[in-house]
Amino acid sequence: MPGTLLFGIDVETADENAKGFAQFGAELFHELQAPVTWYLTGQTLERYPEAFHVAAASGMVDLQAHTYAHLLLKSVLMRNPATHHVHGDTDWYFQPGGTLAAVDRDLGQCQQVFRAMLGHGALALCGPWGHYRGLGDRPDLLEVVYKHGFRCLRSFARNEWDAQPVPLEWQPYCYELQGYPDLLEVMTHGYQDDFYWEAFTRPRGGERYINHLRSVAERVAADDLTWSLCSHDHNCATLEGFEVKVQWYREILAYARDLGMRFVTASTYYQDRLLVGAAQR
Ligand SMILES: [Zn+2]
């Protein structure tokens, strides 16, 4: 099998950008017949429930959670690249995460909104900003996310410097070691979006994000890997802005499809993984 693509987009702005993305994005992924996961903040879903109902009805969009208020599950302590600063003006950058109690409250509120707006809670949770090792070093947080019904996490989205890129060698896994064999981590590989690739690599001249993505896709296909790719709803309030943003979506999805890659949502990937896990036990 020439690889699996998990394309997941943070729809988090809770403003006109999210509304635009919901409308134009549903049309795009339907047109491309490409299954995709959207990780919505509760605030975003609460503000535009109708737009997301329509998106979900398109059959290509799997709606999952990105906390209620974009709360970091853990702190990020990032070492800036040696050559320049991506965040802040020092070699190290600190972004504080929520307390355990705050995360507990936020996730409860998030699932409440999902149940009220969609009739069911979310299966998957994308942790804002993402972290090195996901939640593997925090059994207290694993207990909280599990309690709120999440069974699929996208919280491992940084390398050992809490920076980018996340190498493909690190593949999705279950938190079995911590006592949760049915809690899956799907990660985010590479850079979290085009703007993060630019911020970390400072491309010159002809270097383009799509060229980087093509080389990743080739490696994924050759080695039959899972590739968790991330983007955001930023600057998508108008169709013009949306089309600028999604140019590389169109290009990489066409390229990956030509390579024979399988496109799946987080829900489908979770079901498949758990079935395989059950068969092996
Ligand atoms: Zn986010």
Side-chain angles (χ1 to χ4, degrees):
M1 188 79 179
T4 299
L5 176 65
L6 280 169
F7 193 13
I9 300 169
D10 296 1
V11 184
E12 62 188 21
T13 51
D15 62 16
E16 291 291 311
N17 293 295
K19 189 180 174 199
F21 193 91
Q23 182 193 339
F24 309 133
E27 291 163 5
L28 175 76
F29 288 100
H30 186 260
E31 172 199 326
L32 300 177
Q33 288 293 293
V36 64
T37 308
W38 292 358
Y39 294 96
L40 310 179
T41 59
Q43 288 174 332
T44 301
L45 178 57
E46 199 169 49
R47 183 139 188 220
Y48 303 111
E50 193 48 43
F52 290 105
H53 269 287
V54 172
S58 74
M60 288 295 138
V61 182
D62 182 21
L63 298 180
Q64 300 296 344
H66 193 34
T67 74
Y68 177 75
H70 209 261
L71 180 68
L72 274 72
L73 306 177
K74 293 200 302 192
S75 295
V76 167
L77 180 59
M78 189 188 98
R79 181 163 192 182
N80 269 310
T83 50
H84 61 280
H85 293 152
V86 170
H87 290 299
D89 54 7
T90 55
D91 291 345
W92 290 86
Y93 175 78
F94 182 67
Q95 181 76 15
T99 62
L100 190 63
V103 169
D104 191 10
R105 265 195 314 276
D106 176 287
L107 296 183
Q109 196 174 0
C110 179
Q111 288 289 45
Q112 200 176 16
V113 170
F114 268 73
R115 281 191 292 271
M117 301 293 164
L118 301 177
H120 56 81
L123 172 79
L125 172 68
C126 171
W129 286 61
H131 311 280
Y132 174 51
R133 304 191 292 197
L135 303 187
D137 58 346
R138 288 291 302 274
D140 52 345
L141 281 170
L142 288 171
E143 189 180 344
V144 167
V145 300
Y146 199 88
K147 178 186 82 176
H148 286 292
F150 296 109
R151 295 293 181 269
C152 180
L153 301 179
R154 189 171 74 159
S155 65
F156 190 153
R158 290 177 179 268
N159 63 22
E160 63 271 38
W161 296 111
D162 254 0
Q164 309 276 288
V166 174
L168 281 168
E169 281 73 18
W170 294 337
Q171 288 282 292
Y173 57 87
C174 287
Y175 286 99
E176 198 157 0
L177 201 60
Q178 295 86 350
Y180 302 93
D182 60 343
L183 180 59
L184 178 67
E185 173 64 60
V186 298
M187 339 238 338
T188 288
H189 292 111
Y191 302 89
Q192 292 181 10
D193 209 330
D194 45 17
F195 56 83
Y196 238 3
W197 171 77
E198 285 179 21
F200 276 95
T201 65
R202 292 260 173 113
R204 297 193 195 96
E207 295 171 65
R208 294 173 63 213
Y209 186 48
I210 186 61
N211 295 336
H212 160 72
L213 293 178
R214 283 200 190 102
S215 66
V216 174
E218 286 160 14
R219 165 89 195 284
V220 168
D223 294 347
D224 188 19
L225 300 173
T226 293
W227 179 19
S228 186
L229 174 66
C230 181
S231 189
H232 299 78
D233 62 343
H234 305 173
N235 307 314
C236 290
T238 64
L239 183 57
E240 292 71 26
F242 177 80
E243 283 299 335
V244 170
K245 177 72 193 178
V246 303
Q247 179 63 35
W248 65 260
Y249 295 13
R250 292 182 183 278
E251 292 179 32
I252 196 58
L253 290 172
Y255 194 74
R257 181 162 272 155
D258 283 349
L259 289 168
M261 211 174 288
R262 180 174 77 118
F263 300 166
V264 290
T265 63
S267 296
T268 302
Y269 190 77
Y270 179 80
Q271 298 301 340
D272 291 355
R273 282 287 295 243
L274 265 281
L275 283 176
V276 171
Q280 285 170 347
R281 276 197 287 274

